[in-house]
Amino acid sequence: MQPPVDRIKLSQAAKDQLIKLKRVTKIPTYNVLCRWALCRSLAEPSIPSPVPIPADSNLEMTWQVFGGAIADQLLIALKQRCHNDNLGTDPETLATQLRLHLHRGIGYLAGDPNLKSIDDLCKLALLK
């Protein structure tokens, strides 16, 4: 499958939130946390606000590192979500929505006061 982006570069705010999530969950890699964040945002029924997100951190990863063994499944989920939201599935829309969902999901996870361990993260997946 053609990835929506070759590389993903995060904002400094998202990087800071991921550092917090690494400490809380003990998940050692950013890419795994980013997969959780994307899925967390995709599970929300609302469309992410189309706000500009700076790419002002040094945290960057390729699509293959981001998605790992489930890259195709993540892309299918993103495409389905864009289709459901009547946004289209052209490459530019997918890239924009990936960035919006990823950053929103990181914010949701980092701001969740109930997320204090990896067990709490797993419980989130089981609730929805």
Side-chain angles (χ1 to χ4, degrees):
M1 293 185 117
Q2 180 67 31
V5 293
D6 292 329
R7 304 188 75 75
I8 300 167
K9 188 167 184 176
L10 297 172
S11 69
Q12 185 61 46
K15 180 182 176 185
D16 293 344
Q17 292 169 324
L18 285 171
I19 290 169
K20 173 190 171 191
L21 288 168
K22 281 176 74 172
R23 185 179 63 247
V24 168
T25 65
K26 310 290 188 231
I27 293 175
T29 57
Y30 290 121
N31 58 327
V32 172
L33 287 167
C34 285
R35 291 178 206 153
W36 276 91
L38 177 63
C39 292
R40 174 67 179 87
S41 180
L42 290 175
E44 286 295 314
S46 64
I47 298 173
S49 298
V51 295
I53 299 171
D56 58 350
S57 80
N58 62 355
L59 181 54
E60 186 175 17
M61 65 188 86
T62 65
W63 170 259
Q64 290 308 317
V65 168
F66 167 76
I70 62 168
D72 286 347
Q73 289 85 353
L74 292 173
L75 179 56
I76 289 168
L78 179 65
K79 282 183 175 181
Q80 184 64 51
R81 177 58 192 263
C82 288
H83 174 76
N84 292 351
D85 292 340
N86 296 316
L87 297 173
T89 57
D90 59 275
E92 186 176 329
T93 299
L94 291 173
T96 300
Q97 290 301 306
L98 171 65
R99 187 160 183 75
L100 291 172
H101 277 289
L102 180 57
H103 279 81
R104 180 172 79 167
I106 291 169
Y108 281 173
L109 291 177
D112 187 338
N114 298 318
L115 203 152
K116 296 181 176 137
S117 69
I118 195 167
D119 291 338
D120 297 331
L121 190 62
C122 292
K123 288 176 188 169
L124 281 176
L126 299 174
L127 290 177
K128 300 204 175 200

